Amino acid sequence: EVQVVESGGGWVQPGGSLRLSCEASGFTFSIYEMNWLRRTPGTGLEWISFISGRSLTIRYADSVEGRFTISRDNAKNSVYLQMNSLRDEDTGLYYCVAGGKNFDHWGQGTQVTVSS
Amino acid sequence: IQMTQSPSSLSASVGDRVTITCRASQNIGNSLNWYQHRSGKVPKFLVYDASSLMSGVPSRFSGRGSGTDFTLTITNVQPEDFATYYCQQRFSNVPTFGQGTKLEMK
């Protein structure tokens, strides 16, 4: 059974940082491309970052470029999102999703709240 | 690429036939996916390449369209189909979603 489980969300003040983690199982993680998406009140569902199986290709949405960093550890079947310089508009439910541009397997999401 | 879904919400009864529309702001060929998100569940990948059903998706779901205009139709709506549906284009390196269509029980 495929499972994708996010963790690391929480409340943070504007300008602060958070690191999200995602652990996956039930598929060959090392060959799967992975993404982070989010659902925010202002934007709806938004793709924010992509990483290829061997981390050779990484992409970001303009809204997070320069502030967020995606990485993965295939030995741990995990992908991470380091989020710095957080803004109010980054508040939302963050999903870890397996797949390239077809989002095959989703987690339940982890809530990030940026507020003073 | 902007994706626009209509309607934003839809009321139906079990057994009804419903259609959701998705429009792209530019030609995306058939690079269009559909997802279902039931309350309390993880989103589920339903349709790829505009009209191909993912394995295990019931045949009452069907997708059509190409270019800029797409539809997702559910014939004989079942209780488990009440959910929010999203279209998503994968034509560009920045995948984008429609705002969602909530299918509610009448």
Side-chain angles (χ1 to χ4, degrees):
Chain A
E1 181 194 1
V2 171
Q3 279 202 310
V4 177
V5 181
E6 305 94 337
S7 61
W11 174 84
V12 62
Q13 290 187 324
S17 298
L18 277 176
R19 187 185 193 226
L20 305 184
S21 298
C22 167
E23 187 169 351
S25 60
F27 58 94
T28 308
F29 182 80
S30 61
I31 64 172
Y32 242 90
E33 298 162 326
M34 298 294 294
N35 299 268
W36 286 96
L37 281 71
R38 66 185 180 185
R39 187 198 314 278
T40 63
T43 314
L45 258 181
E46 178 187 17
W47 166 86
I48 56 174
S49 189
F50 162 92
I51 186 166
S52 62
R54 293 169 60 196
S55 305
L56 297 178
T57 301
I58 287 175
R59 301 191 192 106
Y60 300 98
D62 288 346
S63 57
V64 305
E65 177 87 57
R67 300 187 298 125
F68 290 11
T69 302
I70 192 171
S71 61
R72 66 190 292 161
D73 184 339
N74 288 342
K76 296 182 178 178
N77 281 11
S78 294
V79 62
Y80 309 98
L81 188 68
Q82 177 66 43
M83 305 188 296
N84 298 331
S85 304
L86 282 161
R87 305 167 179 167
D88 290 350
E89 56 266 33
D90 294 318
T91 292
L93 186 63
Y94 282 69
Y95 294 101
C96 175
V97 184
K101 297 181 193 175
N102 293 338
F103 300 125
D104 295 325
H105 308 297
W106 299 61
Q108 288 276 15
T110 186
Q111 178 67 33
V112 171
T113 302
V114 184
S115 172
S116 53
Chain B
I1 300 174
Q2 305 297 321
M3 305 301 293
T4 305
Q5 277 181 246
S6 62
S8 56
S9 65
L10 186 55
S11 294
S13 300
V14 171
D16 283 355
R17 178 179 186 271
V18 299
T19 296
I20 300 166
T21 297
C22 178
R23 176 165 288 177
S25 61
Q26 68 181 68
N27 189 332
I28 59 170
N30 70 340
S31 299
L32 193 282
N33 298 332
W34 290 95
Y35 301 85
Q36 176 195 64
H37 192 187
R38 281 192 272 174
S39 181
K41 305 285 188 180
V42 300
K44 179 181 178 181
F45 186 15
L46 288 183
V47 176
Y48 64 98
D49 291 348
S51 61
S52 297
L53 297 186
M54 287 293 290
S55 175
V57 174
S59 58
R60 63 180 179 271
F61 289 88
S62 62
R64 296 189 65 179
S66 67
T68 60
D69 294 314
F70 303 87
T71 59
L72 176 71
T73 297
I74 313 171
T75 56
N76 188 19
V77 170
Q78 294 299 296
E80 60 268 28
D81 300 337
F82 294 101
T84 300
Y85 293 85
Y86 295 91
C87 63
Q88 172 242 327
Q89 65 78 18
R90 60 173 187 81
F91 183 82
S92 81
N93 278 339
V94 181
T96 50
F97 290 84
Q99 75 275 25
T101 296
K102 187 172 185 179
L103 177 60
E104 300 173 300
M105 192 177 297
K106 191 182 290 183

